Structures are given as C-alpha cells and as structure tokens.
Amino acid sequence: MAALSGSDNNGGHAIPSATTASFDEPELFAASVTGFEARYLPITRDRRFTRLELPLESGRLVVVTRPPMLFEGAVVADHGVITFQLDHKRTARVNGSSVNADTMARWKKGTEYRAYQQSRLTHCQLFLSDAVAARGWPEPEPGHHVLSIAPNSSAHLRSFVSDVAEVIQSDPARIANPNVLKGMDRSIIGGVDDALSTFVLPSSSLATGRYLAICRRARDYLRESDFRIQSNVEVANACGVHVRTLHNAFIAVLGMSLRQYLLLHRLWLVRGALLRAEAGDLVKSIALDHGFWHLGRFSRLYQSRFGEAPSTTLARRGAIR
C-alpha cells in the first residue's frame, strides 16, 4: 500500500494521508479490508483488485475496483457503512436486490450480505465516523438495505467522489492542505445528505427474504463439510426445502446454481492450498484432497478459471501464509 501524502501543514496536527493499493489475489485483498469480514470469489480469470482510501472527518472514504465475482460477509464497522456504485451502466445483486448507479445501501454493524456482480465495477464505501453516526438519516426497514435515490442526486454524488479520486491520483500533494480536505469532506457528505433525502424503499418481497435465509442455511451446511461434493437433495434436506426452491434461491441471490457455487468454492480452496503448499506437496494430492478425482478435468477447469496450470500456481508456493 502506498501513501500519497502526509505532510504537516495544520499547525502541528498531522494531515491524514491517502493510500492506494492493488492486489492480484482475493485472499490478500480480503486480509487488507477493514470494516467488513468478507470472502471474495472471482468468477473469471480477472483477479485484480485496486483500492484508494482517504480518511475524512465524516468517515473513511474507500473507492474499490473489483473483478466479476461472488462476495459475502458481514459489516464489522462500529457505525456502519454507506455504499454506492460509481459505474453508471453496470449492475450487481446484493441480498437478492438489484443495485446500480441510482441506488445506495446503508449497512449497520452485524449486517450479513451475499452478492454477485457479473462485470468489473468500481464502488464507493463511506465508513461512518462518530461525527455523522447520528446525523438523522432515514432508517431503512429491516431487510431493505438498498435504497433507490434520485438520478440527479446520485450523479452529483458520484461526480464528487470521482473528482476526489482524480485529485488523489493526479495531484496528491493537494490534500496536504487541510482546507482541501475539509472541502472534499463537505462535498461528499453533502452529496450523501442530498441523495438520502430522495430515497425510495423498494417494494417488499417475502420471497427475497426467504431466499436469503435458505442461502444462509446452505452456506452454513456446506462450510461444515469444507465445501465437499454434496448432492442437491442433501443440501435441500438440510435447509428444509425442495430442490427446486433451493435452486431458485441460489439463482435469485447469488446468480448461479448450487453446483456452480460449490465448484467455484472448491477451485478457490485448491488455489489457496497450492499457494500455501509445503516443499514436496504435489498437485495431484491437493486436488484429490479437495474432491477432484478426475485430474485431467480438474486441470482444464483450473486453467479455465485462473488462466494458468495448477503446477504454475504451486511453483509460487508460500505466496499466502
């Protein structure tokens, strides 16, 4: 992670520094994340993550670009987080709700989420400080964390954040000026105020809430077995639903079938095991340990997912500890 500024021009008080970072492995990115306990599972060969971070009085502003992926976890930031996309024409689904450039999510500490995005996108997170935790913003109803906001308000807010990111990247010395930081902070928090004043709750959906609960039970069941091969019937029985309902829940919440979800997890578990391998460990043994009994098919799946042979990954053993 690189600091972009940090000189002391405020009468002896340190000026917060912007930082940037990039990651080629989702596990390394996840380990660097604060405010979320999260797991990221890219669904294409693209594994590149970038992050720009700037401390402000209103909170910690984070701009992240992520590859197509599944992601799930929980909010651990004390005062919660506000999130919104910077990409104008791309969408994702979070807890079964569609999110786009004209939506904003308010997450409290302890909120769990399951989501997927099918394209590379950039989004913004504002981890709230004590100063704005009791600002009087409207509270979403339970289960309705995604709010629709007026297009002109969302456009202004996205423009403010994009301008801040551009300044940090092109003229980082400028943020050493406390008046610049104060102006950035007022622009962004004012944009959030304006956007939340226009919010509209989505229509209630009992099915979405039920599907989220099913996916959560399925995830817990699969985790207990380290994501080993399971039949749809076994998982459906563990969740107390029919196979068709289980399938519908996974498609609605995560955008893929249970089989695809399980395969994706197992491939990423293998990759992690290869990168942590000890001297003398073999690709064959690691693959078999994770339930890939047909080694030729496994190699093709791995190559297709990660753009390299399992042996190439193994040669970088020790990259993750």
Side-chain angles (χ1 to χ4, degrees):
M1 182 176 288
L4 296 180
S5 75
S7 59
D8 185 347
N9 293 327
N10 193 26
H13 297 287
I15 301 298
S17 297
T19 56
T20 60
S22 59
F23 306 86
D24 291 325
E25 292 294 338
E27 194 166 346
L28 295 176
F29 174 73
S32 76
V33 169
T34 55
F36 293 109
E37 289 180 351
R39 179 174 175 79
Y40 305 94
L41 295 175
I43 56 178
T44 69
R45 293 185 182 182
D46 183 2
R47 303 188 300 276
R48 296 171 295 118
F49 293 79
T50 64
R51 184 177 71 239
L52 181 152
E53 187 168 326
L54 178 66
L56 296 170
E57 181 181 353
S58 298
R60 181 164 49 91
L61 180 71
V62 182
V63 178
V64 176
T65 300
R66 307 181 305 198
M69 64 179 185
L70 297 182
F71 52 106
E72 53 191 358
V75 177
V76 296
D78 286 340
H79 298 299
V81 59
I82 287 175
T83 68
F84 52 92
Q85 290 184 193
L86 295 186
D87 292 291
H88 179 57
K89 296 183 179 180
R90 297 180 179 177
T91 62
R93 291 192 70 83
V94 179
N95 283 352
S97 297
S98 178
V99 297
N100 55 45
D102 296 327
T103 59
M104 177 181 288
R106 284 201 62 195
W107 305 101
K108 292 184 176 181
K109 183 177 182 180
T111 302
E112 294 184 353
Y113 57 88
R114 286 168 176 78
Y116 70 92
Q117 59 185 68
Q118 294 182 317
S119 58
R120 188 170 181 83
L121 62 79
T122 300
H123 73 114
C124 180
Q125 305 161 345
L126 181 62
F127 294 93
L128 305 179
S129 68
D130 292 339
V132 298
R135 201 171 179 85
W137 287 323
E139 293 287 342
E141 295 178 1
H144 290 296
H145 304 285
V146 178
L147 310 174
S148 295
I149 55 180
N152 61 330
S153 295
S154 67
H156 287 147
L157 179 57
R158 286 185 280 114
S159 177
F160 291 145
V161 174
S162 296
D163 287 347
V164 168
E166 182 180 355
V167 168
I168 290 173
Q169 293 169 337
S170 64
D171 189 10
R174 200 185 309 178
I175 65 171
N177 185 327
N179 290 324
V180 171
L181 276 177
K182 184 178 294 185
M184 289 177 170
D185 184 58
R186 288 179 176 175
S187 293
I188 291 172
I189 202 64
V192 173
D193 281 337
D194 182 55
L196 286 176
S197 71
T198 69
F199 88 99
V200 178
L201 284 172
S203 58
S204 178
S205 173
L206 294 176
T208 297
R210 184 187 182 209
Y211 286 165
L212 279 171
I214 291 170
C215 288
R216 186 180 302 114
R217 291 198 297 270
R219 160 76 184 194
D220 292 343
Y221 177 76
L222 293 170
R223 181 186 290 163
E224 290 175 0
S225 65
D226 293 326
F227 294 94
R228 298 300 189 222
I229 297 173
Q230 304 278 353
S231 74
N232 287 7
V233 173
E234 288 177 305
V235 180
N237 288 341
C239 296
V241 298
H242 295 297
V243 170
R244 182 63 183 177
T245 303
L246 178 71
H247 174 80
N248 290 343
F250 268 77
I251 294 297
V253 175
L254 296 172
M256 61 178 62
S257 68
L258 171 63
R259 181 188 63 80
Q260 292 169 317
Y261 176 81
L262 191 54
L263 177 61
L264 183 66
H265 266 281
R266 290 167 55 224
L267 284 169
W268 275 104
L269 287 172
V270 168
R271 184 173 181 82
L274 291 171
L275 290 171
R276 293 187 182 87
E278 303 291 340
D281 287 347
L282 301 176
V283 169
K284 177 180 179 179
S285 299
I286 292 173
L288 293 174
D289 286 345
H290 288 81
F292 290 100
W293 58 271
H294 193 295
L295 298 179
R297 185 176 296 114
F298 160 72
S299 294
R300 292 191 294 273
L301 286 169
Y302 193 95
Q303 176 82 39
S304 176
R305 174 61 58 197
F306 301 114
E308 64 184 21
S311 57
T312 302
T313 305
L314 182 64
R316 297 201 306 276
R317 60 168 60 90
I320 295 178
R321 290 297 187 194

